[in-house]
Amino acid sequence: MSVNQTTVPDDLATEPKTPKADRTDMVGKALGLLVLLGDEPRGASAAEISRRADLPFSTTYRLLGSLTRDGFVDYEPDGRRYHLGLRIFQLGQRVSNHHGFAGTALPVLRRVTELTGEATILSVRDGHHHLTVNKVDGPQTFRVTSDPGHLGALHATAVGKALVAFAEDSERAALLEELELEPLTEHTITDRAAFRSEIEKVHRQGYAVMDEENENGMRAVAVPLLNSQGHAFASLATAVPVFRLSMEALLAHVPLLQEAAAELAARLPQR
């Protein structure tokens, strides 16, 4: 009786097994490369990624090859640049569907946009950033650039301020101390005492605003989606170019946003 055996190349048969800790570390490094690529919408070369990841070029090149082979990364031969692949998009869509951001949230966002005529954005907190999980653009020609998957600053955006102001007490305290208050425009709040006062104001009034603090020419208003403990697990915003709506006109949309946020809070899983 014979047993079928798989032929192994001689070089692999004699190669020592990679220690489990090293394999785990390589997985972490590969995931780190995906995160870095997510911050590069125009892609990046292997050398650029190697420098940003602080990894040897040979290690970076080998990991990018594996990620490309499995569809997590795309390689553009002409520019020799790497981009996130469709496999990432596929997984992201599954996460979005699992949390209800696509099927459940999208109709609500569309209804808000129909009533305001402006872009509606749904975000969650991802560490020291906010992550756009869904967006519906308005019918106007001027388009808001915060697409799903975008990581933005908490301190300089309306959605971010709402997420900080209505975070759990310990998380809010940590964020107020630890956030890097990077100046993104001349209007960005960079003084820690001023930022603390801004967050206290947001918590009192129940909504947050951004007036050219994240991007010149744009303003926004956002409200939190609250769980049963009164803490934000997401935030909902209307964003507009400054030439189209005054701050006063923008704030008139707050009741509509609060109504939509309450509906979403009742429907979405509260992670």
Side-chain angles (χ1 to χ4, degrees), residues 126-253:
D126 183 4
H128 284 191
H129 297 84
H130 76 81
L131 171 68
T132 302
V133 293
N134 217 325
K135 183 191 76 165
V136 174
D137 278 313
Q140 311 283 356
T141 56
F142 194 94
R143 184 175 175 276
V144 174
T145 57
S146 182
D147 290 320
H150 169 76
L151 280 176
L154 289 173
H155 71 290
T157 58
V159 287
K161 292 178 189 178
L163 289 168
V164 173
F166 289 89
E168 293 184 18
D169 293 348
S170 60
E171 292 180 350
R172 181 170 66 252
L175 290 168
L176 288 172
E177 292 297 326
E178 298 171 2
L179 282 180
E180 182 182 354
L181 305 181
E182 178 186 359
L184 302 180
T185 74
E186 64 271 25
H187 304 289
T188 307
I189 298 175
T190 57
D191 178 78
R192 199 157 296 278
F195 181 61
R196 189 182 299 275
S197 296
E198 176 78 357
I199 294 303
E200 291 173 354
K201 179 182 178 182
V202 172
H203 195 271
R204 285 196 309 271
Q205 65 191 14
Y207 63 86
V209 299
M210 181 279 293
D211 199 5
E212 298 192 87
E213 298 157 56
N214 182 64
E215 183 180 354
N216 283 319
M218 295 297 298
R219 59 173 51 115
V221 61
V223 300
L225 275 64
L226 303 177
N227 61 21
S228 56
Q229 287 76 45
H231 301 135
F233 66 94
S235 59
L236 184 68
T238 293
V240 302
V242 296
F243 66 80
R244 201 151 61 216
L245 277 187
S246 66
M247 181 59 73
E248 182 181 7
L250 182 60
L251 291 179
H253 294 315

Side-chain angles (χ1 to χ4, degrees), residues 2-51:
S2 63
V3 178
N4 291 330
Q5 294 182 335
T6 301
T7 302
V8 179
D10 291 340
D11 57 343
L12 293 181
T14 58
E15 183 179 342
K17 292 184 178 179
T18 304
K20 184 176 181 180
D22 290 347
R23 293 199 303 271
T24 302
D25 188 46
M26 293 303 286
V27 171
K29 290 175 181 176
L31 293 173
L33 296 186
L34 292 176
V35 173
L36 289 176
L37 278 175
D39 293 332
E40 299 288 347
R42 290 182 293 276
S45 68
E48 291 168 341
I49 298 168
S50 174
R51 285 194 298 271

Side-chain angles (χ1 to χ4, degrees), residues 28-88:
K29 290 175 181 176
L31 293 173
L33 296 186
L34 292 176
V35 173
L36 289 176
L37 278 175
D39 293 332
E40 299 288 347
R42 290 182 293 276
S45 68
E48 291 168 341
I49 298 168
S50 174
R51 285 194 298 271
R52 289 196 58 195
D54 196 22
L55 290 174
F57 179 83
S58 59
T59 300
T60 303
Y61 189 77
R62 186 170 67 252
L63 289 172
L64 287 171
S66 296
L67 292 168
T68 301
R69 179 194 64 213
D70 294 334
F72 293 100
V73 168
D74 286 337
Y75 178 62
E76 176 193 333
D78 291 343
R80 295 185 177 181
R81 303 182 76 78
Y82 293 86
H83 305 262
L84 289 181
L86 286 176
R87 181 69 171 148
I88 294 293

